[in-house]
């Protein structure tokens, strides 16, 4: 079993804001992250697939195919977007890194086996800043 | 003459959008950067002061004072803000990294000598992403 | 279950020196790390909390609260200090990265639940240099 | 149980090319990585040993000994080499990062206990580029 | 005058080998870099354009156009290639980073003004490894 | 004229403390950097040589020779040392990054031409932390 990882990135705007709360409570809980005019980040996304190596290629997964999958299914929907307004799978959800990483898992998990006979999704890791990041392993 | 640098960072939303142009022309020129719902970045800012060393401290400038100046005068006005909407010195200007770096120079340049007898502002460098950055030397 | 991480840093002096051994044996085992006049490092510390997301905030833990906890309980006691001389919880112990990371775990582990209903400490990772680091998972 | 890691690096040439396939199929599957005239990378290698701390040294393993072991057993055989032509343990194998990381594990695993009473090999991680990497945990 | 930079990267194989010298002299001068079976690197390339900001866009140069120019004119000719064998503009030249950076300058310099009315090439910087790099300013 | 750079690193302890001042004034000016029990850093040192390329090697300077020179003349005197106590050329001087970078220049500048016919020292850059650094160009 080998773990193979690919890093991609996207730039997006968001705010942390619970619409069931008052403006005051949002600022109290989320501080400047609640700024109604938005702020944003350069997100780094690392997707890890685990599996066995194909004896003919030496690959668990073709990293170019994995990169293309991540770009088509995730990056194009998030890059230069507003996470609260522009992203269909984030509608009605808090735009936290935790929620986002689970949604990315849900998108990618069923699409990994079709592009590799030997691997399955192991982890999705998302850096909001170089100092703040989250990881989801699917359970 | 020694060059002393301090790096700070801020997270902000913006869009590249010329209000004198049609929506179509903005998308044609700026591509996804024109997204009307904004996008954002983790900006890294490097401020360089040049000067001679104070024989009593061995410093050109006290980096804690320089850090505090950058935070008070620049970071607090930009961090978790929308560069087009929330920042008074960017009002009516294109929110490009080039314009922003010149504005940051204008703010910091007159405030450096009061906190050092031996130095003056030499450069302001601003990373919009790890792969895109600009530098301004004041002329 | 999501893993949320926050990175902080501190600068400290130390030496590797076993007082039960002769000076010669210390230099033989620890090499230049035994230098009696000390040496030092820029340490990077990554604290990971695991848990479920609070449906109201989308957070496993408020990273600002986690950052403040790490700063108050750990960084203030280590930053610009001598690990052998100035740090009460390292007294009488070898100032290795391995011992230090376990002590940091002991300090933080009981203080994580009070600042999150949904998380608990998962890992403490400590970089002594960019090429040398240790991790402790509590068992 | 503490996990201790050491990073080393090497520069090498390779190509991805299955000799049982036609030139056309190699280019179809591996794209530019199949270039018969080779290409190359700056590889970063992270070796992690897990174990208990020696009460006399505070070490799971002496990182200088681990560094020397990696250099002698792995780096000297790979650095400034052609992975397909110059490396005895890669002969007849696909020069993928997945295959390489398993070979490095096989070399290092039996040699860790002789240089530490308290540790054993936990993981070998290999970066082919900053965005593509693999990890092997021995099973 | 503002300096705007864009970073791209490519992976390539090369050797340092003067065909006018004996094999022995090549190994004596270039050490393992003379390995006849090649070695390789992940190169990082930073191109800096200097100029004035276009008042309509706030740009010295459209970084997407600069990125496309670098990819078309430089990266496609170098990525996954052998610098000694596959690159027409390096034929008959030493494949050192110094020679390569000058050739990249010669290719890009005349092509910058057509894609910006306000800028010209200022610098080409090339990292062979994170610790070894060269810069050329055109004179 | 091409600029060629090599990065090396060392770990050291120091304090900022002017012996002509009272303990109180030292803490007032230097804050925690005045800690009498020392603190320390992982320093990164970048040395840049400028010159013309030797037509036989394609080199301005052989980077292995430059690396060896830096290690022998600078790193061995600073690594795992106390900058205030152990380093002969820092005796009686403030152990600031500014003073240190000028001393490193003085050591290296006369020793560059003997190892290259085509180059001379251009710059010495010293990172005390990733966010604080100084550069000296010799005048």
């Amino acid at each position: 079993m080998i773990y193979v990882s690919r890093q991609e990135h996207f730039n997006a705007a968001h705010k942390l804001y619970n619409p069931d709360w008052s403006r005051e409570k949002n600022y109290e809980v989320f501080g400047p992250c609640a700024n109604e005019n938005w702020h944003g980040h350069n997100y780094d996304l690392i997707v890890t697939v685990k599996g066995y190596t194909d004896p003919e290629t030496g690959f668990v997964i073709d990293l170019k195919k994995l990169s293309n999958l991540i770009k088509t299914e995730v990056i194009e929907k998030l890059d230069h977007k507003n996470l609260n307004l522009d992203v269909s799978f984030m509608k009605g959800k808090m735009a936290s890194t935790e929620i986002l990483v689970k949604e990315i898992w849900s998108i990618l998990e069923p699409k990994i086996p079709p592009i590799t006979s030997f691997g399955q999704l192991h982890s999705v890791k998302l850096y909001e800043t170089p100092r703040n990041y989250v990881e989801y392993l699917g359970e």
Side-chain angles (χ1 to χ4, degrees), chain A:
Chain A
M1 182 78 73
I2 292 190
Y3 300 80
V4 180
S5 297
R6 173 70 192 169
Q7 182 175 328
E8 303 288 346
H9 62 93
F10 59 93
N11 310 320
H14 80 144
K15 68 179 169 190
L16 296 174
Y17 206 91
N18 184 333
D20 296 339
W21 292 349
S22 68
R23 190 176 179 281
E24 287 67 31
K25 182 157 184 193
N26 272 290
Y27 275 89
E28 184 194 318
V29 173
F30 296 117
C33 298
N35 177 17
E36 285 154 300
N37 284 332
W38 322 96
H39 66 285
H41 299 288
N42 302 329
Y43 290 89
D44 279 313
L45 172 66
I46 301 178
V47 175
T48 302
V49 171
K50 69 179 170 192
Y52 297 95
T53 48
D54 180 330
E56 288 198 308
T57 60
F59 284 170
V60 171
I61 189 168
D62 180 336
L63 277 174
K64 189 163 303 177
K65 286 187 187 169
L66 179 59
S67 171
N68 287 341
L69 178 75
I70 302 169
K71 282 177 183 155
T72 309
E73 299 295 330
V74 178
I75 303 299
E76 284 185 12
K77 293 169 182 167
L78 297 173
D79 191 36
H80 285 76
K81 294 292 194 304
N82 183 308
L83 301 181
N84 302 68
L85 300 180
D86 295 330
V87 182
S88 59
F89 61 80
M90 292 296 288
K91 283 282 165 63
K93 295 173 186 139
M94 294 299 298
S96 72
T97 324
E98 287 94 328
I99 302 295
L100 187 55
V101 82
K102 284 172 72 172
E103 295 297 321
I104 294 171
W105 173 282
S106 297
I107 292 169
L108 290 177
E109 195 274 338
K111 297 200 167 67
I112 300 293
I115 60 165
T116 165
S117 330
F118 296 86
Q120 61 187 104
L121 186 58
H122 171 67
S123 152
V124 179
K125 201 170 181 176
L126 185 59
Y127 284 77
E128 191 181 70
T129 73
R131 298 182 165 272
N132 291 350
Y133 59 91
V134 306
E135 186 174 24
Y136 184 56
L137 301 171
E139 53 188 32

